Amino acid sequence: MTTTALLNSLMESSAFERLKSIRFLGGIDYLLVPAPNGARHRYSRYQHSIGVARLALRYAAQRDFSPKQIDVLTSAALLHDIGHSPFSHSLEPIFVKHFGIDHHQATMQVIKGEVAKVRSVHDTLKRFHVDIDAVLNVLSGDDACFEGFFSGPINFDTIEGIMRSRSYAARETWSLVSPEAILDAAVRRETTSDRDKVDGFWEYKDQVYRHVINSPLGILADKACQLLMERHIGQFGPQDYFSTERTAFSKIPGLHKLLKASNFPRAVSDLIDGPVPFKERRFVVDKGGDFHNREDSQRYRQTKQPRELPLSAATDVDIEHYAWKSFDERIQSGQRLL
């Protein structure tokens, strides 16, 4: 049986199909795309996971791996997000707080076959004779194989996710370097052009975190989801971790309306007593790390700092005039999206 047949079977499983209902960026996706049938689409964990698997296949084509290694590589890539809860990272802190489960732990449980309702993933891996322990070791970081494309800072997941988010917000997506080009440069490591592509990707990652994920709008979207789930926590149990966003909306009255409200920032601020804490992440290229010798942990650095968002920073924003098309101009001028 071929790797293509394996991946197709995994994608046909109910566990993987569920990812179609899990928004890639969580609550902010609903806020930014109130009408997903128009020119813009809300990306899902399903789309992202297939994109990551495509990068893994492209990488495998440039290396001399055995069929069994390719099965481990591509299965890990496709399934790396199989354990995400509804609204991805927006609701995960509440599931962790009340039920002690996060997407890393949930992913391992699904692959091991420990969750009855999504056991089809485990059964498919067994049917195709995939080394499940090897897949788990790759995803946990215990096995730093495949040249760091799972465990290092320059990895399949991050390349696909950041460039998906960056193109989501870009005015002219044709001008962006493709995920495939970034991957190829990171695999080759031969020229200054290769180095510049990968360095540029790391700078894209900083932009996406500053201007989207950790923008005031992104912070408030996460806060709104978490606040309203807390208010209705009695409606939830551990089994809801593997449910869909339709189910989550049904158990959190008012959340859907709030996320689509034109006065969203002010509406959320009315529900909050004070500043909103968040972790600010920044990504910088340290040129002391040798790109060509794969000193990625030295070259591609990140920092995390506790911060607080004052409500005054976001309450006057008009969502209807929140223009993604101005993303590039705002970056050039050093402005945040809000």
Side-chain angles (χ1 to χ4, degrees):
M1 291 185 285
T2 66
T3 296
T4 299
L6 164 64
L7 296 179
N8 285 338
S9 294
L10 288 172
M11 287 189 288
E12 290 168 359
S13 69
S14 58
F16 195 79
E17 283 281 323
R18 185 186 72 91
L19 297 182
K20 289 181 178 179
S21 78
I22 309 300
R23 300 284 73 76
F24 180 59
L25 292 178
I28 195 173
D29 269 310
Y30 288 92
L31 191 61
L32 297 176
V33 190
N37 294 323
R40 288 192 170 86
H41 303 278
R42 297 179 188 139
Y43 292 124
S44 67
R45 289 283 162 183
Y46 179 92
Q47 293 165 301
H48 166 64
S49 297
I50 291 175
V52 172
R54 285 174 176 166
L55 291 181
L57 281 167
R58 188 180 183 92
Y59 166 67
Q62 300 177 57
R63 291 290 185 261
D64 186 22
F65 295 134
S66 70
K68 287 186 178 296
Q69 286 177 307
I70 294 174
D71 284 349
V72 169
L73 164 70
T74 55
S75 295
L78 187 69
L79 300 176
H80 77 285
D81 273 351
I82 198 72
H84 265 289
S85 69
F87 297 96
S88 293
H89 295 291
S90 292
L91 287 187
E92 184 170 320
I94 309 304
F95 278 107
V96 172
K97 176 181 176 182
H98 290 277
F99 307 112
I101 184 170
D102 63 22
H103 76 278
H104 296 294
Q105 175 188 353
T107 293
M108 299 302 177
Q109 290 176 333
V110 171
I111 293 172
K112 290 177 182 178
E114 296 175 351
V115 183
K117 67 185 295 185
V118 290
R119 189 177 169 83
S120 54
V121 164
H122 175 83
D123 292 344
T124 299
L125 293 172
K126 293 286 287 185
R127 179 159 54 89
F128 280 83
H129 306 292
V130 178
D131 187 337
I132 293 177
D133 287 337
V135 173
L136 293 170
N137 287 336
V138 168
L139 291 176
S140 67
D142 290 339
D143 187 348
C145 56
F146 302 120
E147 298 174 280
F149 281 110
F150 282 98
S151 57
I154 308 300
N155 58 71
F156 304 127
D157 180 17
T158 304
I159 292 172
E160 207 287 335
I162 290 299
M163 298 313 295
R164 180 176 295 275
S165 300
R166 184 63 176 82
S167 65
Y168 199 1
R171 180 178 182 180
E172 297 174 337
T173 57
W174 59 264
S175 65
L176 296 177
V177 179
S178 70
E180 292 80 8
I182 294 167
L183 173 69
D184 291 347
V187 172
R188 281 192 308 264
R189 309 272 178 146
E190 293 176 354
T191 66
T192 55
S193 177
D194 289 340
R195 182 196 64 200
D196 292 345
K197 282 188 177 71
V198 180
D199 286 359
F201 157 71
W202 202 246
E203 293 169 2
Y204 281 152
K205 186 171 185 179
D206 189 63
Q207 293 170 4
V208 166
Y209 269 87
R210 288 185 64 207
H211 297 279
V212 181
I213 296 171
N214 280 162
S215 71
L217 194 61
I219 294 164
L220 288 180
D222 285 346
K223 182 64 176 180
C225 292
Q226 294 163 17
L227 180 65
L228 291 189
M229 182 178 174
E230 279 278 15
R231 291 187 176 184
H232 298 90
I233 196 63
Q235 301 296 316
F236 287 84
Q239 72 281 358
D240 291 302
Y241 190 93
F242 292 101
S243 68
T244 65
E245 289 181 8
R246 181 184 293 272
T247 298
F249 273 133
S250 72
K251 296 189 175 192
I252 309 177
L255 179 58
H256 190 266
K257 181 179 179 180
L258 177 60
L259 290 175
K260 296 181 70 174
S262 60
N263 66 336
F264 170 80
R266 188 168 295 280
V268 175
S269 69
D270 289 341
L271 302 175
I272 302 172
D273 295 331
V276 182
F278 69 99
K279 288 284 182 66
E280 181 183 60
R281 298 176 67 179
R282 296 300 308 271
F283 301 86
V284 297
V285 177
D286 181 347
K287 296 184 179 180
D290 192 319
F291 170 78
H292 299 287
N293 286 327
R294 298 183 179 275
E295 295 178 351
D296 288 3
S297 61
Q298 298 177 45
R299 187 173 186 86
Y300 302 111
R301 298 184 179 275
Q302 64 171 298
T303 61
K304 295 181 183 179
Q305 293 291 334
R307 294 281 190 263
E308 288 188 340
L309 172 69
L311 297 185
S312 59
T315 53
D316 294 327
V317 174
D318 183 348
I319 297 298
E320 292 184 359
H321 293 88
Y322 186 90
W324 279 109
K325 67 180 182 180
S326 65
F327 186 86
D328 292 309
E329 289 88 345
R330 289 175 183 270
I331 287 175
Q332 291 171 8
S333 66
Q335 297 177 10
R336 293 165 68 92
L337 280 182
L338 292 184

